[in-house]
Amino acid sequence: MKEHGLSVSALPDGPQHWHDIDWCRVQRNVRGTQMRIAKACRENNWRKVKSLQRMLTRSRSARFLAVRRVTENQGKRTAGVDRVLWDTPEAKFAATSQLEPRGYQPHPLKRVYIPKANGKERPLGIPTMLDRAMQALYLLALAPIAETQADPNSYGFRTERSTHDAMGQLFLCLSKEVSPQWVLEGDIEGCFDNINHDWLTRNVPMDKRVLRKWLKAGVIHKGQLSATEAGTPQGGIISPTLANIALDGLESALKQHLGKTRARTLKINVVRYADDFVITGQSKEVLETKVRPWVEQFLVTRGLKLSPEKTRITHIDSGFDFLGWNFRKYPKKGKRILLIKPSKKNVKTFYRKVKEIISDNKTARQENLIRLLNPVLRGWALYHQPVVAKKAFSLMDHMVFKALWRWAIRRHPRKGLTWIRAKYFRTIGLRNWAFATTATDEKGNKREIELFRSAGVKVKRHKKISAEYNPFDPTHEEEGEKLRMLRMLDKLKYRRQVATLFTQQRGLCVLCNTPISKETGWHDHHIVYRSQGGNDSLANRVLLHPECHQRLHARGLKVSKPAPSRGLAKA
């Protein structure tokens, strides 16, 4: 196996420690091979695809990147059935040599359950660190193919795609006067738990032996080992991609079955996010007699079926819920306009979550309660920012206010209402009854903090990604860079100093010069340490990947502010 012309096993000058790894070179090596895989896939050169996949999964760069992914994501502190964590640089570096397909046997999954909005529980399967790293390794080789062959309007678990892109596509499909009037709301029953293993083994372009071992690994719950006869476990790194591959074709194969011209005449559009999808049609009859039977047959071959409870055909004037929003046309001045609003179910579910936080913190200090509520309220408001949400925001603010008023009264049963108001609520600018208090920061400075107000969020339309975007196609590189910068800055709009640093660095880590993203995370580093007299000004701070931050301190490295760029403001 070769990497930059050298045998991997004969790299005496290669990294000997986790903090010696050149992550810029690692990223460049892996991305270069991924682009070659995607190109070979577009050319239907499957022999070359297989050869490049094999080369990638056996390269040191891919192994380093796989271990880094599983030791930096949210599950890095969650062990599998072997109770092993890779939480030291030595353990991470040693783990890279364990990622060998020869003799590899995955452990059973650890079964845990998390509650769903409908009161039921969602089963998760937690693999061991080694199994997660092996999945991340093979995913590096599978992702270019999955992206290249994916349906254009599939938006779940894909690079730079989101629920907002799916919403934007539905708006394009349904907003015009001549748009289709009928919608098939589809939901697949237990998608992750029921996908046919034989179908996956035959159709997923990766090492069949390794894939079958993962699928048949079994599950341990309460000390009992159970066999896995179907499905791909929720909780595995590669599972979302396997589910996407199983459902890809729902759009392209349906239009091919009907004929592209006929599908256009019948106003057939498919928008899918993971296992939830919407299919539009010219009439109810078309969706009932031509589309739904074909979809059911398409799913049967994969071991899946539609959920009778959640699958229905609806007229756009009645509206339908999708991804937490309600899509419906309303009459206005002789026309019918499409309005997208937060769904009633979403508003109720979110309020229950907020109320639970308030109930669980009956004796907490007001400052701590505000710090708990603000990220939750802000996240919900920003999710609904691109749609018609002003009424929902005002309603949520009103309901949260009433819950907090009850919280305050309960704490002081012997005090008058005027005293309670004066203690917990203030007038800020033109706002009365703002839930606010004075807090002390780390330096001992006092400042006023207040509860986040959803109604203060301004509507901002979402810029939809193009349906043809492929992160592994060099012609789409510029579009991907612009999207990543815009969406990260959007995410950081309430963290102005971090957003400024991110813009100054052009979205790149100062140490390894590779992109900072939501997935990688970031640390705020002081160039001159505060213990040595450094201040908190932006001139003394840079953003680093968490892994790079650890490396910098372990090796005693130094960084400096990046030089300003003329194109920075545009990015």
Side-chain angles (χ1 to χ4, degrees):
M1 190 56 50
K2 293 188 176 182
E3 187 165 293
H4 280 281
L6 295 174
S7 168
V8 169
S9 58
L11 281 172
D13 58 339
Q16 303 300 314
H17 190 276
W18 185 251
H19 292 315
D20 294 336
I21 298 171
D22 181 350
W23 290 109
C24 186
R25 182 183 178 187
V26 164
Q27 294 271 15
R28 188 171 63 246
N29 291 344
V30 171
R31 184 153 182 81
T33 308
Q34 286 179 319
M35 286 185 167
R36 292 174 64 192
I37 292 172
K39 183 173 183 288
C41 180
R42 289 194 297 273
E43 296 169 350
N44 287 319
N45 188 346
W46 292 104
R47 185 173 181 178
K48 188 174 182 180
V49 166
K50 190 173 181 180
S51 172
L52 289 169
Q53 282 186 307
R54 183 181 177 86
M55 182 175 77
L56 183 60
T57 54
R58 282 158 177 74
S59 72
R60 292 185 83 187
S61 291
R63 295 180 189 189
F64 290 150
L65 213 54
V67 172
R68 179 174 175 174
R69 173 171 179 175
V70 301
T71 54
E72 282 190 355
N73 63 14
Q74 291 182 348
K76 63 185 178 182
R77 295 186 182 89
T78 305
V81 294
D82 62 354
R83 300 180 182 177
V84 172
L85 289 176
W86 298 338
D87 50 4
T88 64
E90 292 76 20
K92 295 175 188 178
F93 193 75
T96 59
S97 62
Q98 299 177 39
L99 305 185
E100 287 284 349
R102 185 177 298 174
Y104 167 67
Q105 184 60 47
H107 290 81
L109 304 167
K110 181 171 74 174
R111 175 68 81 204
V112 296
Y113 291 90
I114 59 173
K116 294 171 67 175
N118 59 6
K120 298 181 181 179
E121 290 186 317
R122 187 188 303 278
L124 292 184
I126 309 299
T128 63
M129 294 295 287
L130 175 60
D131 295 334
R132 273 177 256 172
M134 284 292 284
Q135 289 187 17
L137 176 64
Y138 278 89
L139 180 58
L140 290 172
L142 180 61
I145 304 171
E147 284 289 342
T148 303
Q149 294 188 322
D151 285 334
N153 292 303
S154 162
Y155 296 98
F157 306 118
R158 293 182 61 192
T159 306
E160 301 298 350
R161 296 188 181 223
S162 66
T163 53
H164 294 94
D165 292 308
M167 177 269 293
Q169 179 61 26
L170 271 177
F171 181 82
L172 292 176
C173 295
L174 297 169
S175 59
K176 300 180 180 65
E177 279 291 319
V178 295
S179 295
Q181 303 298 307
W182 291 91
V183 170
L184 170 64
E185 305 171 60
D187 184 88
I188 300 168
E189 196 172 82
C191 178
F192 281 87
D193 298 327
N194 296 305
I195 299 176
N196 185 279
H197 284 179
D198 292 333
W199 189 94
L200 286 174
T201 308
R202 287 194 309 269
N203 292 278
V204 176
M206 64 168 286
D207 190 315
K208 310 296 183 187
R209 290 174 299 176
V210 173
L211 176 59
R212 184 163 286 278
K213 285 178 180 178
W214 286 335
L215 296 174
K216 301 295 183 183
V219 174
I220 290 182
H221 181 54
K222 295 182 179 180
Q224 298 294 318
L225 176 64
S226 304
T228 45
E229 300 299 332
T232 174
Q234 296 183 64
I237 285 176
I238 205 170
S239 297
T241 303
L242 296 180
N244 265 341
I245 290 174
L247 295 176
D248 280 332
L250 189 63
E251 178 182 1
S252 53
L254 173 59
K255 291 183 177 180
Q256 188 176 355
H257 167 72
L258 295 171
K260 291 185 178 180
T261 304
R262 192 168 178 229
R264 198 178 301 114
T265 304
L266 296 174
K267 300 180 181 179
I268 301 296
N269 298 289
V270 182
V271 178
R272 179 170 66 85
Y273 188 90
D275 58 343
D276 294 326
F277 62 89
V278 168
I279 303 178
T280 68
Q282 185 183 34
S283 66
K284 186 176 183 179
E285 182 186 3
V286 166
L287 294 176
E288 277 183 343
T289 60
K290 290 181 170 55
V291 175
R292 182 165 181 165
W294 183 90
V295 171
E296 289 173 344
Q297 186 58 41
F298 173 86
L299 295 175
V300 163
T301 59
R302 292 153 173 78
L304 303 171
K305 63 178 181 179
L306 292 174
S307 167
E309 302 172 0
K310 300 179 183 178
T311 303
R312 60 182 69 88
I313 297 173
T314 313
H315 195 276
I316 192 64
D317 288 350
S318 301
F320 65 94
D321 291 350
F322 186 62
L323 302 176
W325 294 298
N326 179 262
F327 297 74
R328 184 178 174 186
K329 277 194 171 179
Y330 297 83
K332 185 177 180 180
K333 296 181 180 179
K335 294 183 179 180
R336 290 156 60 249
I337 60 169
L338 178 71
L339 295 183
I340 307 172
K341 304 178 180 181
S343 68
K344 291 180 180 179
K345 180 181 177 183
N346 180 273
V347 172
K348 288 179 181 178
T349 302
F350 178 72
Y351 176 65
R352 281 200 299 268
K353 180 179 179 180
V354 172
K355 199 173 178 182
E356 187 177 330
I357 293 173
I358 296 172
S359 298
D360 290 345
N361 291 275
K362 291 184 176 73
T363 59
R365 293 169 58 196
Q366 184 182 10
E367 173 190 346
N368 294 339
L369 182 60
I370 290 174
R371 294 190 192 281
L372 285 172
L373 288 174
N374 275 359
V376 178
L377 293 169
R378 184 182 296 118
W380 181 78
L382 292 180
Y383 182 81
H384 293 297
Q385 185 181 25
V387 303
V388 183
K390 281 296 180 184
K391 285 186 179 179
F393 288 167
S394 297
L395 174 63
M396 184 59 63
D397 285 341
H398 177 66
M399 292 192 298
V400 172
F401 164 76
K402 290 202 297 184
L404 290 172
W405 181 243
R406 289 192 295 268
W407 173 87
I409 290 174
R410 182 187 179 280
R411 292 163 70 91
H412 306 284
R414 298 183 181 181
K415 295 289 186 181
L417 300 184
T418 304
W419 184 93
I420 293 172
R421 178 191 173 176
K423 180 171 177 60
Y424 292 106
F425 297 89
R426 299 184 179 183
T427 298
I428 299 177
L430 297 176
R431 287 182 59 210
N432 295 320
W433 292 86
F435 191 70
T437 188
T438 302
T440 306
D441 61 20
E442 297 174 354
K443 296 181 177 180
N445 299 323
K446 292 186 176 181
R447 62 186 185 90
E448 194 171 57
I449 62 168
E450 61 178 300
L451 189 73
F452 180 84
R453 181 170 163 263
S454 300
V457 174
K458 295 180 181 179
V459 172
K460 182 180 179 183
R461 299 301 175 199
H462 177 75
K463 184 179 180 182
K464 191 184 86 70
I465 196 169
S466 66
E468 295 75 25
Y469 174 73
N470 184 342
F472 303 103
D473 187 341
T475 60
H476 296 158
E477 193 83 27
E478 186 179 354
E479 180 185 0
E481 285 296 316
K482 286 182 179 178
L483 269 172
R484 185 179 62 82
M485 287 289 292
L486 285 171
R487 293 184 178 182
M488 275 295 292
L489 288 172
D490 225 26
K491 176 183 172 63
L492 297 171
K493 67 173 66 176
Y494 289 98
R495 303 179 67 177
R496 294 180 183 176
Q497 292 192 347
V498 176
T500 302
L501 293 173
F502 183 83
T503 306
Q504 289 175 351
Q505 298 174 202
R506 300 184 294 281
L508 303 176
C509 170
V510 172
L511 191 63
C512 70
N513 205 39
T514 58
I516 292 172
S517 67
K518 179 183 175 183
E519 288 71 29
T520 65
W522 62 86
H523 282 178
D524 192 342
H525 171 71
H526 288 71
I527 298 171
V528 178
Y529 301 162
R530 283 179 289 187
S531 59
Q532 298 173 2
N535 57 32
D536 285 331
S537 69
L538 294 180
N540 190 45
R541 290 157 58 193
V542 292
L543 299 182
L544 302 170
H545 289 130
E547 197 68 58
C548 294
H549 199 197
Q550 294 171 16
R551 177 188 175 200
L552 180 141
H553 285 288
R555 290 285 181 262
L557 304 175
K558 297 291 182 182
V559 292
S560 58
K561 295 288 287 187
S565 170
R566 289 182 181 178
L568 209 53
K570 293 182 181 179

